Amino acid sequence: HYDIGFSIENLVYFELLRRGYEVNIGKINGTEIDFVAKKDGAYTYIQVSASLIDESTFKREITPLQNIHDNYEKFILTLDDYSEGNYNGILIKNVINWLLEE
């Protein structure tokens, strides 16, 4: 069984390292944040999900980010194009587009 989500997480992890971030996994209120990336004293919180089309998956991925009450960047990276946008300060981006940024 091939897990595309796991592969995307690996890709994002190594790209964050390549971009010079210090990368950790975060936990808040019993939920997990895939990546807490730190660079130049600033944090970026990132969730990775192959798809957000399913409402329960969307809720599972966005809830931990909603529980962080600071003003650092928060992203969900996905293969979807359908879910892209700004959800109360949490940006949802297509992972391919994110990889091509910089």
Side-chain angles (χ1 to χ4, degrees), residues 75-95:
F75 290 104
I76 300 175
L77 299 176
T78 181
L79 289 174
D80 288 349
D81 288 324
Y82 321 107
S83 311
E84 283 192 311
N86 185 327
Y87 296 79
N88 294 319
I90 297 168
L91 295 178
I92 298 183
K93 291 187 174 191
N94 178 284
V95 70

Side-chain angles (χ1 to χ4, degrees), residues 11-76:
L11 198 66
V12 169
Y13 174 75
F14 287 113
E15 179 61 16
L16 287 168
L17 293 178
R18 191 192 70 74
R19 292 182 185 185
Y21 287 89
E22 182 184 311
V23 183
N24 291 291
I25 294 168
K27 289 198 185 302
I28 184 162
N29 299 338
T31 60
E32 191 174 280
I33 294 159
D34 293 331
F35 302 111
V36 178
K38 184 179 178 187
K39 184 176 178 180
D40 302 327
Y43 292 91
T44 303
Y45 304 100
I46 300 174
Q47 292 286 72
V48 179
S49 181
S51 174
L52 295 171
I53 294 170
D54 182 66
E55 194 176 330
S56 65
T57 303
F58 182 88
K59 189 160 179 49
R60 184 185 72 231
E61 296 297 340
I62 204 165
T63 299
L65 296 175
Q66 291 171 327
N67 289 329
I68 300 169
H69 301 290
D70 65 26
N71 293 318
Y72 292 115
E73 286 187 311
K74 297 166 187 73
F75 290 104
I76 300 175

